[in-house]
Amino acid sequence: QVQLVESGGGLVQAGGSLRLSCAASGRTFSSYVMGWFRQAPGKEREFVAGISRGGASTYYADSVKGRFTISRDNAKNTVFLQMNSLSPEDTAVYYCAARSGRYVPASADEYDYWGQGTQVTVSS
């Protein structure tokens, strides 16, 4: 079992940056693949980025490639999402998720644990 707590959301102007953090409980954080998802009002939850257990492999949705960076610090049980060049289309609740194993899926259904989410609002 792992518990996830996101932080770092807020209101930012278009073109600005935010850094989200997701702190995980437990001593086996490095055994989990981690992902960031987002959900805008009236839309389905969508994959944003994923990272392998050791952090060597990262994956991104096309909509955020070149603007967002996922990273993790296994010593601190934390995964990050650095978001640059934000646009109003990035406005959503952002969730981190954890999954046991090596595979980094883009489907929300394949993740076992979820945080409560953090709101990101980008004004134009």
Side-chain angles (χ1 to χ4, degrees):
Q1 188 91 11
V2 60
Q3 294 183 328
L4 305 172
V5 179
E6 302 97 335
S7 61
L11 174 64
V12 63
Q13 289 188 332
S17 298
L18 281 175
R19 189 190 195 206
L20 305 184
S21 298
C22 173
S25 65
R27 295 178 291 179
T28 59
F29 178 69
S30 60
S31 67
Y32 292 95
V33 160
M34 300 299 296
W36 283 98
F37 289 77
R38 66 186 181 186
Q39 188 166 20
K43 295 187 177 181
E44 293 189 354
R45 192 168 297 191
E46 65 173 356
F47 175 79
V48 175
I51 190 166
S52 60
R53 296 181 299 182
S57 299
T58 57
Y59 306 87
Y60 298 93
D62 287 343
S63 59
V64 307
K65 276 181 184 176
R67 301 188 299 124
F68 291 13
T69 302
I70 187 171
S71 61
R72 67 190 295 164
D73 184 339
N74 285 346
K76 296 183 178 180
N77 285 10
T78 304
V79 62
F80 305 97
L81 185 68
Q82 177 66 43
M83 306 186 295
N84 299 329
S85 303
L86 286 162
S87 71
E89 289 71 33
D90 295 314
T91 295
V93 177
Y94 282 71
Y95 300 89
C96 71
R99 179 184 187 276
S100 298
R102 297 183 178 182
Y103 172 54
V104 184
S107 171
D109 291 342
E110 298 192 60
Y111 285 81
D112 304 310
Y113 305 102
W114 292 85
Q116 83 289 348
T118 185
Q119 177 71 47
V120 171
T121 303
V122 185
S123 63
S124 57

Short mmCIF file of all heavy atoms in Angstrom, two decimals, residues 40-70:
data_model
loop_
_atom_site.label_atom_id
_atom_site.label_comp_id
_atom_site.label_asym_id
_atom_site.label_seq_id
_atom_site.Cartn_x
_atom_site.Cartn_y
_atom_site.Cartn_z
N ALA A 40 -9.66 17.82 -16.77
CA ALA A 40 -10.32 19.11 -16.89
C ALA A 40 -11.83 18.91 -16.75
O ALA A 40 -12.34 17.81 -16.99
CB ALA A 40 -10.00 19.74 -18.24
N PRO A 41 -12.57 19.96 -16.38
CA PRO A 41 -14.02 19.82 -16.22
C PRO A 41 -14.69 19.30 -17.48
O PRO A 41 -14.43 19.79 -18.58
CB PRO A 41 -14.46 21.25 -15.91
CG PRO A 41 -13.27 21.89 -15.30
CD PRO A 41 -12.09 21.29 -16.01
N GLY A 42 -15.50 18.27 -17.32
CA GLY A 42 -16.23 17.71 -18.44
C GLY A 42 -15.41 16.81 -19.35
O GLY A 42 -15.92 16.34 -20.38
N LYS A 43 -14.17 16.55 -18.97
CA LYS A 43 -13.31 15.72 -19.80
C LYS A 43 -12.83 14.50 -19.02
O LYS A 43 -12.87 14.48 -17.79
CB LYS A 43 -12.10 16.52 -20.31
CG LYS A 43 -12.47 17.65 -21.25
CD LYS A 43 -11.23 18.29 -21.84
CE LYS A 43 -11.58 19.37 -22.85
NZ LYS A 43 -10.37 19.98 -23.46
N GLU A 44 -12.38 13.50 -19.75
CA GLU A 44 -11.84 12.31 -19.12
C GLU A 44 -10.44 12.57 -18.58
O GLU A 44 -9.74 13.47 -19.05
CB GLU A 44 -11.82 11.15 -20.12
CG GLU A 44 -13.19 10.66 -20.54
CD GLU A 44 -13.12 9.39 -21.36
OE1 GLU A 44 -12.01 8.95 -21.68
OE2 GLU A 44 -14.19 8.84 -21.67
N ARG A 45 -10.06 11.75 -17.61
CA ARG A 45 -8.70 11.85 -17.09
C ARG A 45 -7.72 11.42 -18.19
O ARG A 45 -7.92 10.40 -18.83
CB ARG A 45 -8.56 10.97 -15.85
CG ARG A 45 -7.30 11.19 -15.06
CD ARG A 45 -7.38 10.49 -13.72
NE ARG A 45 -8.45 11.02 -12.88
CZ ARG A 45 -8.60 10.73 -11.60
NH1 ARG A 45 -7.73 9.91 -11.00
NH2 ARG A 45 -9.60 11.22 -10.91
N GLU A 46 -6.66 12.21 -18.36
CA GLU A 46 -5.71 11.91 -19.42
C GLU A 46 -4.28 11.83 -18.90
O GLU A 46 -3.91 12.52 -17.95
CB GLU A 46 -5.77 12.96 -20.54
CG GLU A 46 -5.36 14.35 -20.14
CD GLU A 46 -5.28 15.31 -21.32
OE1 GLU A 46 -5.47 14.88 -22.48
OE2 GLU A 46 -5.01 16.50 -21.09
N PHE A 47 -3.52 10.98 -19.55
CA PHE A 47 -2.11 10.79 -19.23
C PHE A 47 -1.33 12.05 -19.58
O PHE A 47 -1.51 12.64 -20.64
CB PHE A 47 -1.58 9.59 -20.01
CG PHE A 47 -0.11 9.35 -19.87
CD1 PHE A 47 0.41 8.73 -18.74
CD2 PHE A 47 0.76 9.71 -20.89
CE1 PHE A 47 1.76 8.50 -18.63
CE2 PHE A 47 2.12 9.48 -20.79
CZ PHE A 47 2.62 8.86 -19.64
N VAL A 48 -0.43 12.44 -18.68
CA VAL A 48 0.45 13.57 -18.92
C VAL A 48 1.90 13.11 -19.07
O VAL A 48 2.57 13.44 -20.05
CB VAL A 48 0.35 14.60 -17.77
CG1 VAL A 48 1.37 15.73 -17.96
CG2 VAL A 48 -1.06 15.16 -17.67
N ALA A 49 2.37 12.34 -18.08
CA ALA A 49 3.76 11.90 -18.11
C ALA A 49 3.92 10.67 -17.21
O ALA A 49 3.15 10.49 -16.27
CB ALA A 49 4.69 13.01 -17.65
N GLY A 50 4.94 9.87 -17.51
CA GLY A 50 5.24 8.71 -16.70
C GLY A 50 6.74 8.52 -16.57
O GLY A 50 7.51 9.01 -17.41
N ILE A 51 7.14 7.82 -15.52
CA ILE A 51 8.56 7.62 -15.28
C ILE A 51 8.80 6.23 -14.71
O ILE A 51 8.00 5.72 -13.92
CB ILE A 51 9.11 8.72 -14.33
CG1 ILE A 51 10.63 8.68 -14.24
CG2 ILE A 51 8.46 8.65 -12.95
CD1 ILE A 51 11.23 9.93 -13.60
N SER A 52 9.88 5.62 -15.15
CA SER A 52 10.22 4.28 -14.69
C SER A 52 10.69 4.30 -13.24
O SER A 52 10.89 5.35 -12.63
CB SER A 52 11.31 3.69 -15.59
OG SER A 52 12.48 4.51 -15.54
N ARG A 53 10.87 3.12 -12.69
CA ARG A 53 11.17 2.99 -11.27
C ARG A 53 12.47 3.69 -10.88
O ARG A 53 12.54 4.36 -9.84
CB ARG A 53 11.24 1.52 -10.88
CG ARG A 53 9.91 0.80 -11.03
CD ARG A 53 10.00 -0.64 -10.62
NE ARG A 53 10.97 -1.39 -11.43
CZ ARG A 53 11.20 -2.69 -11.27
NH1 ARG A 53 10.56 -3.38 -10.35
NH2 ARG A 53 12.07 -3.30 -12.04
N GLY A 54 13.48 3.59 -11.72
CA GLY A 54 14.76 4.22 -11.43
C GLY A 54 14.89 5.62 -11.97
O GLY A 54 15.84 6.34 -11.64
N GLY A 55 13.93 6.02 -12.81
CA GLY A 55 13.94 7.36 -13.36
C GLY A 55 14.64 7.51 -14.70
O GLY A 55 14.68 8.60 -15.27
N ALA A 56 15.18 6.42 -15.22
CA ALA A 56 15.95 6.52 -16.46
C ALA A 56 15.07 6.72 -17.69
O ALA A 56 15.49 7.30 -18.68
CB ALA A 56 16.81 5.28 -16.64
N SER A 57 13.83 6.22 -17.61
CA SER A 57 12.92 6.31 -18.75
C SER A 57 11.73 7.19 -18.41
O SER A 57 11.11 7.02 -17.36
CB SER A 57 12.42 4.92 -19.15
OG SER A 57 13.50 4.10 -19.53
N THR A 58 11.44 8.11 -19.32
CA THR A 58 10.30 9.01 -19.14
C THR A 58 9.44 9.01 -20.41
O THR A 58 9.94 8.78 -21.51
CB THR A 58 10.75 10.44 -18.83
OG1 THR A 58 11.62 10.90 -19.88
CG2 THR A 58 11.50 10.50 -17.50
N TYR A 59 8.16 9.30 -20.21
CA TYR A 59 7.21 9.26 -21.30
C TYR A 59 6.26 10.46 -21.14
O TYR A 59 5.91 10.83 -20.02
CB TYR A 59 6.40 7.96 -21.26
CG TYR A 59 7.28 6.74 -21.23
CD1 TYR A 59 7.74 6.24 -20.01
CD2 TYR A 59 7.65 6.08 -22.40
CE1 TYR A 59 8.57 5.12 -19.97
CE2 TYR A 59 8.48 4.97 -22.36
CZ TYR A 59 8.93 4.50 -21.14
OH TYR A 59 9.76 3.40 -21.11
N TYR A 60 5.86 11.02 -22.29
CA TYR A 60 5.02 12.22 -22.25
C TYR A 60 3.89 12.14 -23.27
O TYR A 60 4.04 11.57 -24.35
CB TYR A 60 5.86 13.46 -22.55
CG TYR A 60 6.96 13.71 -21.55
CD1 TYR A 60 8.24 13.23 -21.75
CD2 TYR A 60 6.69 14.42 -20.38
CE1 TYR A 60 9.25 13.44 -20.82
CE2 TYR A 60 7.69 14.64 -19.44
CZ TYR A 60 8.97 14.14 -19.67
OH TYR A 60 9.95 14.36 -18.74
N ALA A 61 2.79 12.79 -22.92
CA ALA A 61 1.74 13.01 -23.91
C ALA A 61 2.25 14.03 -24.92
O ALA A 61 3.04 14.92 -24.58
CB ALA A 61 0.49 13.55 -23.21
N ASP A 62 1.79 13.90 -26.14
CA ASP A 62 2.25 14.81 -27.20
C ASP A 62 1.96 16.27 -26.84
O ASP A 62 2.73 17.16 -27.20
CB ASP A 62 1.57 14.46 -28.52
CG ASP A 62 2.10 13.18 -29.13
OD1 ASP A 62 3.19 12.72 -28.72
OD2 ASP A 62 1.42 12.62 -30.02
N SER A 63 0.87 16.49 -26.14
CA SER A 63 0.46 17.86 -25.82
C SER A 63 1.40 18.57 -24.85
O SER A 63 1.34 19.81 -24.75
CB SER A 63 -0.96 17.85 -25.25
OG SER A 63 -1.01 17.06 -24.08
N VAL A 64 2.25 17.82 -24.15
CA VAL A 64 3.12 18.46 -23.16
C VAL A 64 4.60 18.26 -23.47
O VAL A 64 5.45 18.82 -22.76
CB VAL A 64 2.82 17.95 -21.73
CG1 VAL A 64 1.33 18.11 -21.41
CG2 VAL A 64 3.27 16.52 -21.53
N LYS A 65 4.92 17.51 -24.50
CA LYS A 65 6.32 17.26 -24.84
C LYS A 65 7.06 18.57 -25.08
O LYS A 65 6.55 19.45 -25.79
CB LYS A 65 6.41 16.38 -26.08
CG LYS A 65 6.29 14.91 -25.82
CD LYS A 65 6.41 14.11 -27.10
CE LYS A 65 6.20 12.63 -26.84
NZ LYS A 65 6.22 11.84 -28.10
N GLY A 66 8.23 18.69 -24.50
CA GLY A 66 9.04 19.89 -24.67
C GLY A 66 8.69 20.99 -23.67
O GLY A 66 9.42 21.98 -23.57
N ARG A 67 7.58 20.84 -22.95
CA ARG A 67 7.16 21.85 -21.96
C ARG A 67 7.19 21.31 -20.55
O ARG A 67 7.51 22.04 -19.61
CB ARG A 67 5.76 22.35 -22.27
CG ARG A 67 5.60 22.99 -23.64
CD ARG A 67 4.22 23.64 -23.79
NE ARG A 67 3.13 22.68 -23.66
CZ ARG A 67 2.14 22.80 -22.76
NH1 ARG A 67 2.12 23.82 -21.93
NH2 ARG A 67 1.17 21.90 -22.73
N PHE A 68 6.84 20.04 -20.37
CA PHE A 68 6.78 19.43 -19.05
C PHE A 68 7.92 18.44 -18.89
O PHE A 68 8.35 17.79 -19.85
CB PHE A 68 5.46 18.67 -18.87
CG PHE A 68 4.23 19.53 -18.77
CD1 PHE A 68 4.24 20.89 -19.08
CD2 PHE A 68 3.02 18.96 -18.37
CE1 PHE A 68 3.10 21.66 -18.99
CE2 PHE A 68 1.87 19.72 -18.27
CZ PHE A 68 1.90 21.07 -18.59
N THR A 69 8.39 18.30 -17.64
CA THR A 69 9.44 17.33 -17.33
C THR A 69 9.07 16.59 -16.05
O THR A 69 8.81 17.21 -15.02
CB THR A 69 10.79 18.02 -17.13
OG1 THR A 69 11.13 18.75 -18.32
CG2 THR A 69 11.88 16.99 -16.85
N ILE A 70 9.06 15.26 -16.14
CA ILE A 70 8.81 14.44 -14.97
C ILE A 70 10.15 13.95 -14.44
O ILE A 70 11.06 13.62 -15.20
CB ILE A 70 7.87 13.25 -15.30
CG1 ILE A 70 7.48 12.50 -14.03
CG2 ILE A 70 8.48 12.33 -16.34
CD1 ILE A 70 6.38 11.45 -14.27
#
